[in-house]
């Protein structure tokens, strides 16, 4: 491309949007959607659009470390290879493990998998994708004989009905949501959302089924029975391309409509409406995501959905099919190369002797793993009980993201040898490493990813790697060489790895395996560099083309028929009790990614939800004494966390929702997975992250404080602490149980720490009212502010944060201490539209003063909601609250 621009792909969600990146002299980059990429055609969501703001080197791990001391690459790699070799020699290959990430590129994954399964001889290689889509993989394999997503994104645009199950597409896959929303506007697509919460996605829903947590199997079993009873089967498809319908139907028919209504907490009429809509619409796409997968019955949920599509023959045809959307950018690529403990590689199986022979011969490997390795939860159990003695963690933060996170932390801390390869120096997991290896970050590395529609795209470097950061594939290849496997790991560029992987997919394939990209095996280095996105399969001699699977059967089972799978309904593994009366649901929020190691660097991404929060229904809030905006403590026998309460009827009564993202770096008591039990699906091994019994109570802390500072204040030891990036510094919420001896001293410590000694500290005290306010100035610039109140603390937080490092004349300083703007200045309020940085108060002004009566009119007035559209549901709620009905 011209002008220093590089085509690459977004490193966040499974939509896999194309990006055009242009590095800027200040170390950031200009980011735009790639108009030619078939996933997004130029669109980006708030996270993708803010990528340029996440590239700073602040917090980067730049050099290898051994026991926290700087070390050379040679020394670190020698140590890793020696420790792995010694451990394997003494305790066998299953005494070591890799724990990887859907953030890795396919080439990284391929090398890790080859090293572990072909050269170490164990299958102890699992990944955070186990927490994301393992149930979909297992469901696909049970029904199709292989892990295939049959359709394409275009199917969502061609469908007449799109059913979204356990998917907040508007926030978690925003560009795909935009494509669906546009199709709905232009073609009248009907949309059904099945989700216990009224999420932002419900903005475009014709029907929202606020289903009870864990009850999806009951609903889809009932649908299968209805399809049969109402004569909607595709008899020809079922007869020619499937088997075992009677067994599945028998299991599906065990509950009648009223029993399904009880199990799902839905009315019989709304269930009947949904069944009839599905049954009577030919072009149906069912999209499912973590609400289906992250369940102790996740595989059955997937198969219950697949059963309905197989029964109607609505699969692999234009505008029809089941569609698993992956959470991570390269969860699919990891699945392809075998980056899960129960796979071999290239869609070949560990328990298939022929497949093991093919792979071993292709790799010229000394051995080959012959049995499945440990899946994520079991893997960390094995770390805990000492079976795993050397563990290499790459590009992920299991101390935050795995269930029973405190137990995982203790297990890693006790492991004899832990290596962590990461981009960031300080995470909850890097803190436990014996060896830290600096990884190249997005923008610095080359490789490929595969998105949710099987489309392989290049990620390309457009920045030099800082310090001594190196790609993950290089790190593993260097260790492999030092372990004596140099001949098989002599790669000098990811293009060579990709070519080898592509060749492997075609070996002895002859149409017996769905994954075949051997047509890309002979790519030259130049052709790899120029590779345009393509969908698999791409067989030798074939040209890239849009593909779907299974319209005419040809499944990958021994008899090439799909399997209906009986899915007897069972609910959540853990039931609510009198002591734990609420069900905790966890998930993503609009502007954050995983454990926030990147998105937390962006001021605008932190502005929408700067604190960890818990959503609670008004009825529950009243019952448990939780006030909107107050702190609440959520607890069970595993632990306790503290979050800000959001009282909303978008949350179902009886359930709570807490985001998955917050770490110990950003809040002192908000790692939600410390509460989640390690209860897993028996087939996929995926943990139930959305159904944990908990209790909630008000968090008693008499004093609330809000600090705006240039450095993170030293207040982590407070009863509550949550910090977020702000322009030129940080905004931090703090709560204390007891009044300190001196607020002045604390103010100096928190807001003046590290500042020039000559700063001027302005203070306001009202001990009777319990109000203390401080503002620190260096010359005429504000360098810190602290607002303290006994009880509720009210101040214009967004406005105060924006004053940091601004010139504040003496005449305006008292106004600043009042915590509110005066005169012409305005408080924009909490940011609603992160893409275009529009605050709540600006939207209210557009409504009340400029007469904007629709979401579109608000957009025309202040631009809010006109980029990625993920905030439109919130704008609609603001409109509703202002009592201006939106025109249809
Ligand atoms: Fe990135 Fe997903 Fe947003 Fe696209 S939709 S820009 S892939 S986070």
């Amino acid at each position: 491309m011209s002008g220093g621009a590089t085509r690459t792909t977004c490193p966040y969600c499974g939509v896999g949007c194309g990006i055009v990146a242009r590095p800027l002299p200040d170390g950031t980059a200009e980011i735009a959607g790639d108009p030619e990429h078939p996933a997004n055609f130029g669109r980006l969501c708030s996270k993708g659009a803010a990528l340029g703001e996440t590239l700073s080197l602040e917090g980067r791990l730049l050099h290898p470390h051994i026991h926290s001391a700087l070390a050379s690459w040679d020394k670190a790699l020698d140590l890793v290879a020696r420790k792995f070799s010694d451990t394997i020699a003494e305790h066998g290959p299953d005494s070591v493990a890799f724990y990887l990430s859907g953030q890795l590129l396919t080439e990284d994954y391929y090398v890790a998998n080859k090293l572990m399964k072909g050269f170490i001889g164990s299958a102890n290689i699992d990944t955070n994708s186990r927490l994301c889509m393992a149930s979909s993989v297992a469901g696909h394999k049970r029904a199709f004989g292989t892990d295939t997503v049959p359709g394409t994104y275009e199917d969502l645009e061609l469908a007449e009905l799109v059913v979204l199950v356990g998917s907040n597409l508007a926030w978690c896959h925003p560009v795909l949501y935009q494509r669906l929303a546009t199709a709905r506007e232009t073609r009248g697509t009907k949309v059904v959302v099945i989700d216990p919460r009224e999420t932002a996605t419900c903005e475009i829903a014709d029907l929202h089924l606020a289903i009870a947590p864990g009850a999806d199997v009951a609903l889809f079993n009932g649908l299968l029975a209805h399809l049969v009873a109402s004569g909607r089967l595709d008899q020809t498809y079922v007869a020619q391309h499937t088997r075992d319908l009677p067994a599945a139907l028998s299991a599906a028919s065990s509950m009648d409509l009223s029993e399904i209504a009880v199990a799902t907490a839905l009315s019989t009429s709304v269930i009947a409406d949904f069944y009839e809509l599905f049954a009577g619409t030919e072009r149906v796409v069912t999209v499912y995501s973590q609400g289906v997968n992250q369940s102790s019955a996740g595989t059955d949920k997937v198969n219950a959905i697949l059963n309905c599509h197989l029964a109607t023959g609505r699969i692999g045809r234009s505008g029809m099919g089941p569609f698993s959307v992956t959470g991570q950018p390269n969860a699919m690529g990891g699945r392809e190369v075998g980056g899960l403990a129960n796979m071999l590689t290239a869609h070949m199986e560990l328990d298939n002797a022929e497949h093991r022979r093919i792979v071993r011969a292709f790799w010229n490997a000394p051995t080959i793993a012959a049995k499945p390795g440990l899946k994520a939860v079991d893997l960390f159990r094995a770390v805990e009980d000492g079976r795993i003695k050397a563990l290499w963690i790459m590009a992920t933060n299991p101390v935050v993201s795995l269930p029973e996170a405190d137990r995982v932390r203790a297990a890693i801390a006790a492991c004899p040898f832990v290596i962590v390869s990461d981009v960031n120096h300080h995470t909850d997991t890097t803190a436990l490493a014996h060896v830290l290896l600096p990884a190249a970050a997005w923008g610095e590395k080359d490789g490929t990813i595969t998105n949710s529609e099987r489309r392989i795209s290049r990620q390309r470097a457009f920045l030099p790697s800082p310090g001594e950061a190196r790609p993950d594939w290089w790190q593993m290849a260097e260790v492999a060489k030092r372990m004596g496997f140099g001949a098989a790991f002599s790669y000098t560029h990811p293009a060579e790895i990709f070519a080898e992987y592509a060749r492997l997919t075609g070996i002895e394939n002859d149409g017996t395996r769905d994954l075949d990209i051997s047509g890309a095996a002979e790519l030259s280095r130049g052709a790899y560099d120029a590779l345009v996105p393509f969908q698999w399969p791409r067989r030798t001699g074939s040209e890239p083309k849009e593909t779907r699977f299974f319209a005419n059967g040809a499944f990958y089972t021994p008899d090439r028929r799909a399997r209906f799978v009986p899915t007897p309904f069972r609910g959540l593994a853990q039931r609510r009790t009198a002591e734990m009366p609420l069900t905790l649901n966890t998930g993503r929020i609009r502007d954050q990614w995983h454990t926030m190691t990147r998105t937390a660097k962006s001021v605008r991404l932190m502005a929408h939800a700067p604190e960890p929060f818990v959503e609670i229904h008004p009825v529950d809030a009243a019952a448990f004494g939780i006030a909107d905006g107050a702190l609440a403590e959520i607890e069970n026998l595993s632990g306790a966390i503290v979050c800000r309460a959001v009282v909303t009827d978008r949350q179902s009564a009886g359930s709570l929702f807490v985001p998955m993202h917050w770490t110990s770096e950003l809040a002192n008591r908000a790692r939600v997975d410390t509460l989640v039990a390690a209860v897993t699906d028996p087939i996929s091994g995926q943990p139930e992250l959305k159904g944990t019994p908990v209790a909630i109570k008000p968090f008693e802390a008499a004093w609330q404080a809000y600090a705006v500072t240039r450095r993170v204040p030293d207040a982590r030891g407070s009863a509550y602490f949550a910090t977020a990036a702000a322009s030129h510094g940080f905004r931090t919420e703090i709560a204390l149980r007891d009044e300190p001896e001196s607020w002045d001293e604390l103010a100096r410590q928190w807001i003046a720490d590290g500042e020039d000694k000559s700063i001027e500290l302005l203070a306001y005290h009202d001990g009777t009212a319990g109000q203390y306010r401080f503002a620190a100035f260096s010359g005429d610039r504000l360098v810190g502010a602290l607002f303290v109140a006994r009880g509720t603390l009210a101040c214009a937080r967004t406005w105060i944060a924006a004053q940091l490092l601004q010139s504040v004349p003496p005449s305006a300083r008292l106004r600043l201490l009042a915590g509110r703007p005066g005169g012409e200045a305005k408080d924009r309020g909490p940011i609603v539209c992160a893409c275009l940085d529009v605050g709540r108060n600006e939207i209210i002004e557009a409504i009340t003063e400029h007469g904007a009566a629709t979401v579109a009119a608000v957009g025309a007035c202040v631009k809010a909601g006109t980029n990625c559209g993920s905030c439109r549901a919130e704008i609609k709620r603001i409109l509703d609250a202002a009592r201006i009905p939106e025109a249809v």
Side-chain angles (χ1 to χ4, degrees), residues 176-197:
L176 201 51
Y177 171 79
Q178 288 174 48
R179 289 180 64 168
L180 172 59
T182 304
R184 182 175 177 269
E185 274 170 31
T186 54
R187 304 182 68 249
T189 315
K190 288 261 186 294
V191 176
V192 174
V193 173
I194 301 171
D195 195 309
R197 303 165 64 215

Side-chain angles (χ1 to χ4, degrees), residues 10-17 19 43-49 172-176:
C10 177
Y12 294 132
C13 85
V15 179
C17 295
I19 278 176
R43 302 173 179 96
L44 289 180
C45 76
S46 58
K47 294 184 286 290
C172 302
H173 301 92
V175 166
L176 201 51

Side-chain angles (χ1 to χ4, degrees), residues 169 189 252 523 546 637 726 738 879:
L169 207 69
T189 315
L523 292 181
E546 299 296 299
L637 294 177
D738 303 311
L879 271 161

